[in-house]
Amino acid sequence: MIRRYVLSILVKNTSGVLSKVSGLFSRRGYNIRSLSVGETMDPAVSRITIELVGDEYILEQIKKQLNKLVDVIKVKALRSQSSVYKELVLVKVRVDHRGRAGIIELCDIFRTRIVDTGRHSVIIEMAGSPEKNAALLRLLEEYDILEISRTGITAMERGESTIYDD
């Protein structure tokens, strides 16, 4: 069954490691739907979060191949039921004086923030689940979206379990 998977990968924070990880996907014809990277508490280690679509077989093959890479420390699949998925989205929307109140109301309902206001546009910051962000983007389409910038998913397991466990 084809579905969305999110992988959390701990890697050595070295030059070229992201290229090696993403290259593994492209060499095998797998598409990365979302990718985010950042240092962990240890500056020598980074955490890569990758969202992909596939079946269980593809997921297992990717995990096996990732674990063969020298710079990979740990690979863990995060299940949506037991994890928190978030992404940051900045969206610039064209507004006039009549539409500004509607956008402010939407931002209040979705608990987002307007981070920049111009004469004819606003930039809205959304930090939420991909589904919540997509719902607001659909509503903002009636206001003429000028530009979107997304970080990609970042994720973590709920509770006391960590990527270091096992």
Side-chain angles (χ1 to χ4, degrees):
M1 179 170 75
I2 302 296
R3 55 175 268 191
R4 169 176 84 170
Y5 294 98
V6 175
L7 293 176
S8 189
I9 309 161
L10 291 179
V11 296
K12 295 176 186 169
N13 193 3
T14 58
S15 175
V17 70
L18 181 58
S19 178
K20 291 175 189 172
V21 169
S22 61
L24 182 145
F25 281 78
S26 65
R27 282 191 305 278
R28 285 159 182 74
Y30 302 138
N31 186 40
I32 294 174
R33 191 168 172 192
S34 167
L35 183 141
S36 66
V37 181
E39 284 185 357
T40 64
M41 297 176 296
D42 178 354
V45 177
S46 287
R47 184 177 188 141
I48 300 174
T49 306
I50 296 178
E51 177 187 17
L52 60 120
V53 175
D55 58 24
E56 197 72 30
Y57 176 78
I58 289 172
L59 175 68
E60 290 307 314
Q61 290 304 307
I62 289 171
K63 285 169 52 178
K64 287 177 186 175
Q65 295 300 315
L66 285 168
N67 278 311
K68 290 180 182 179
L69 297 176
V70 174
D71 294 322
V72 171
I73 300 166
K74 179 89 177 213
V75 178
K76 192 168 194 177
L78 301 179
R79 304 289 180 201
S80 60
Q81 311 89 300
S82 58
S83 302
V84 175
Y85 298 167
K86 297 288 182 181
E87 77 171 334
L88 173 67
V89 179
L90 296 176
V91 58
K92 186 183 291 185
V93 180
R94 184 182 322 277
V95 295
D96 56 24
H97 65 279
R98 294 181 308 260
R100 199 171 294 272
I103 288 178
I104 291 170
E105 185 178 341
L106 280 175
C107 288
D108 287 344
I109 292 168
F110 279 84
R111 295 189 199 116
T112 62
R113 298 181 333 134
I114 295 175
V115 294
D116 184 72
T117 303
R119 286 178 45 114
H120 302 290
S121 68
V122 295
I123 298 176
I124 301 165
E125 173 188 79
M126 301 182 267
S129 71
E131 295 78 15
K132 175 188 165 192
N133 291 343
L136 179 53
L137 286 172
R138 280 191 299 276
L139 293 172
L140 288 172
E141 286 175 353
E142 70 181 71
Y143 291 96
D144 191 15
I145 294 174
L146 300 172
E147 190 174 5
I148 296 175
S149 179
R150 299 177 100 140
T151 61
I153 289 178
T154 189
M156 189 175 282
E157 279 189 294
R158 297 179 187 275
E160 288 72 41
S161 182
T162 71
I163 191 168
Y164 305 103
D165 295 342
D166 281 345

